[in-house]
Amino acid sequence: MYCYPPHPVRGHPCDNISGNYGTWQANAIQREVVVVGGGAAGLSAARTLIRNGVKNIALLEAQDYLGGRVKTHRQDGILTEDGAEWIHGGSANRLYGLARRMGVLSPRVPDSSYAWSAKTETGRNADPAGYDAAETLYEICERNSVLSQYSDFGYGKCYADKFSGEYRRNRGRRSERAAWLHFLEMWVNKDTGLDDWRDQSARDADHFTDWGLDQWDQWRAGYDALVAHLKKDIPAGTISMSSPVCKIFWDQGDKGQVLVVTQSGVSYLADHALITASVGHLKERQDSLFEPALPRAYRDALAVTELGLADKVQLGWRSSWWGEPHYNLNIIFTNDIQGEKSWLKGIMEFLTIHNQSNMLQAFVPGEYARKMEALPEETVKRHLLSFLADVTGKSIPEPSFFRRTQWQKNVWMRGSYNSYVTVEGGNTIMRSRQPLAQAVEKNGKPVLLWAGEHTHTTRYGTVDGAMDTGEREAYKIIDYMDATFG
């Protein structure tokens, strides 16, 4: 038995929903399909439906932009990505071929082009043997033959068990062993959004299909080029922005229709509702969002699935004070940091932003990100400047650009990047993620369908995976319509 939140978090925009069931039912707009969410999954679903002749649809997006966790920011000629940034895996990734065909694939920067250094938090040169050990283990613990041995445990156990031996093999300094182990955990947590690398089921991690970390490609003019590509086949009148869905009545009458209600009181009566909301939002709001309550099996699946958190901090200057076009500063902590600045321990590296040699970026994962989000923006910037000064021994000029993301504070996300299945969940009801993609049916008709990165069994946490799930669920509807109506 798993515990569910007894009531939604107070102060949510949906707490002020306009209207009542009678008015929603009476004024409902008829649609064949309502797609909830305009991220990569929702856009791919709507595009697939329309391309296959299902045109009477509505796509409802809660926020004032499309893309979800694909969010490109432009300011004074500077381009940064709040969310998705890279195309991992080269030609194995469908996005690589798409970007190449569109002529917007950015040239790859090889690792050898980066000016690399490793420092302690006080500016002392760190032992590079620690980095070598971490990099080796990052590859070893991704192998199926290795990770499968840890199926009943947390993902991080593989790294923790093997680190001491690998560090000794690389002749690392004993005094830095704990610091480099923390560095490795932050490396893993940066890519997963975990609070603790023991939280994710190793069985869940083992299902992920990795196409190679050594191939990092990017969109030359921003990841939102993908959003524009997915959107172009969707008629403008189909999409409603700033239209958060606050109620879904999914057992309406003998026909098994779904009544979907937005925060402003606009309602839709549909044969199918395709839900692409983030799992963080679904977990927080399911009790108030769905009537009747979701089936127990689906609620159990949600209960053991979490949305990780990986925020970004980005700083830019009119000219680079580090003097290199490609810069990689790795940081280990030989001493603890207490108090307001403790969030800095989540940072394991600063990298120049691709094609912008005057800008640096760092990831902040899990609990450290939540601490960072709770601080005023000016305080976060001040912490970063003094931290960089301590680590590099340089006088850091005032940046001309600063941005930090706050994905946890976003009520429609409640996290970012990677979803994961807990160790308990991976050992019991969620040995794969298939339960998260199980449609809710009435008399054989799929009335609630689920898409989004968290519903992909092998490419969760990726944009291509999210797109795959949107198309997958759209074809379930198309197949049902073909079988029912011919």
Side-chain angles (χ1 to χ4, degrees):
M1 180 67 66
Y2 299 95
C3 296
Y4 308 98
H7 50 71
V9 175
R10 293 178 181 176
H12 192 278
C14 282
D15 294 344
N16 300 315
I17 185 171
S18 176
N20 55 60
Y21 181 84
T23 59
W24 300 330
Q25 181 73 24
N27 298 321
I29 302 166
Q30 300 285 331
R31 291 288 182 265
E32 289 180 286
V33 183
V34 170
V35 179
V36 179
L43 290 171
S44 295
R47 182 172 183 259
T48 301
L49 289 166
I50 288 166
R51 284 186 153 197
N52 285 272
V54 184
K55 301 184 183 297
N56 185 23
I57 72 173
L59 188 153
L60 307 176
E61 168 53 46
Q63 303 186 91
D64 60 359
Y65 73 97
L66 292 171
R69 282 171 272 170
V70 174
K71 187 178 183 184
T72 303
H73 178 76
R74 293 177 177 82
Q75 179 181 325
D76 300 328
I78 295 171
L79 184 153
T80 57
E81 303 286 0
D82 284 4
E85 189 162 349
W86 291 282
I87 303 171
H88 290 287
S91 58
N93 191 326
R94 62 184 293 189
L95 293 179
Y96 178 90
L98 175 60
R100 191 171 184 176
R101 291 192 300 274
M102 292 170 62
V104 294
L105 186 67
S106 186
R108 188 179 300 163
V109 179
D111 290 345
S112 58
S113 297
Y114 284 86
W116 186 94
S117 64
K119 299 280 188 177
T120 70
E121 82 285 358
T122 58
R124 180 171 54 81
N125 288 331
D127 183 5
Y131 182 89
D132 293 339
E135 186 177 42
T136 299
L137 283 184
Y138 208 102
E139 178 186 347
I140 289 174
C141 286
E142 290 296 307
R143 297 173 186 165
N144 291 344
S145 59
V146 175
L147 199 54
S148 61
Q149 301 170 32
Y150 293 87
S151 291
D152 294 337
F153 303 99
Y155 176 42
K157 183 173 172 56
C158 175
Y159 298 95
D161 284 357
K162 295 179 181 299
F163 181 78
S164 292
E166 191 63 36
Y167 192 57
R168 285 195 300 270
R169 192 174 298 114
N170 283 270
R171 299 185 179 183
R173 299 173 190 154
R174 285 187 179 182
S175 61
E176 292 184 7
R177 192 194 73 84
W180 278 112
L181 181 61
H182 173 80
F183 174 92
L184 177 56
E185 181 174 1
M186 293 306 101
W187 192 346
V188 172
N189 290 1
K190 169 181 74 72
D191 288 350
T192 58
L194 296 169
D195 280 11
D196 186 314
W197 60 359
R198 296 169 295 185
D199 291 344
Q200 181 181 10
S201 162
R203 178 177 286 107
D204 181 52
D206 193 29
H207 288 315
F208 184 79
T209 299
D210 191 343
W211 290 324
L213 289 170
D214 58 335
Q215 300 186 60
W216 292 20
D217 297 283
Q218 291 185 279
W219 300 79
R220 186 175 63 240
Y223 221 126
D224 59 356
L226 173 64
V227 176
H229 171 77
L230 295 175
K231 180 186 174 184
K232 68 181 181 181
D233 289 333
I234 305 172
T238 301
I239 299 174
S240 295
M241 308 293 294
S242 301
S243 298
V245 171
C246 294
K247 289 288 184 182
I248 299 177
F249 300 91
W250 57 270
D251 192 8
Q252 297 293 291
D254 295 336
K255 294 182 179 179
Q257 291 183 296
V258 185
L259 182 65
V260 179
V261 187
T262 68
Q263 195 259 346
S264 63
V266 177
S267 56
Y268 301 82
L269 190 63
D271 292 310
H272 313 272
L274 203 167
I275 316 300
T276 74
S278 81
V279 71
H281 172 65
L282 287 176
K283 284 173 67 71
E284 180 180 275
R285 298 298 298 182
Q286 62 165 315
D287 284 344
S288 62
L289 179 58
F290 296 99
E291 292 190 26
L294 293 173
R296 173 61 61 175
Y298 204 87
R299 288 161 61 84
D300 285 349
L302 282 179
V304 298
T305 309
E306 302 290 344
L307 182 56
L309 175 63
D311 278 320
K312 297 178 182 180
V313 290
Q314 299 154 337
L315 302 102
W317 294 264
R318 286 180 170 74
S319 61
S320 69
W321 47 263
W322 53 91
E324 302 286 347
H326 306 295
Y327 184 52
N328 181 195
L329 173 63
N330 296 267
I331 302 166
I332 65 170
F333 292 84
T334 54
N335 296 290
D336 199 11
I337 298 181
Q338 299 290 336
E340 191 181 62
K341 289 186 176 182
S342 62
W343 70 272
L344 291 167
K345 280 198 73 174
I347 295 176
M348 46 76 63
E349 69 174 351
F350 285 91
L351 274 173
T352 47
I353 294 178
H354 189 56
N355 286 338
Q356 297 180 91
S357 59
N358 296 341
M359 299 194 65
L360 293 179
Q361 174 175 276
F363 281 84
V364 187
E367 61 174 319
Y368 298 105
R370 281 189 288 277
K371 290 179 181 179
M372 183 271 291
E373 288 193 21
L375 296 171
E377 187 166 286
E378 190 61 34
T379 300
V380 172
K381 183 172 75 170
R382 189 174 69 249
H383 286 177
L384 286 167
L385 293 178
S386 64
F387 182 52
L388 282 168
D390 290 341
V391 171
T392 63
K394 296 178 180 290
S395 176
I396 309 299
E398 184 71 15
S400 56
F401 178 94
F402 173 73
R403 185 170 177 82
R404 55 98 179 253
T405 62
Q406 293 179 291
W407 287 106
Q408 185 64 37
K409 282 190 173 183
N410 185 323
V411 297
W412 310 115
M413 296 294 176
R414 295 305 192 199
S416 65
Y417 215 167
N418 230 39
S419 58
Y420 65 93
V421 176
T422 65
V423 175
E424 180 186 11
N427 289 340
T428 54
I429 65 170
M430 281 275 281
R431 298 178 76 87
S432 82
R433 297 198 183 201
Q434 290 179 351
L436 291 170
Q438 185 65 47
V440 177
E441 297 185 350
K442 183 169 183 180
N443 299 325
K445 173 186 176 182
V447 292
L448 290 182
L449 302 99
W450 312 95
E453 57 84 15
H454 62 285
T455 70
H456 202 296
T457 55
T458 61
R459 289 290 292 170
Y460 55 83
T462 68
V463 177
D464 57 280
M467 292 169 62
D468 287 347
T469 66
E471 293 169 3
R472 178 196 68 205
E473 298 306 303
Y475 278 115
K476 286 182 184 178
I477 295 172
I478 293 163
D479 291 345
Y480 173 81
M481 289 180 171
D482 287 345
T484 303
F485 306 111

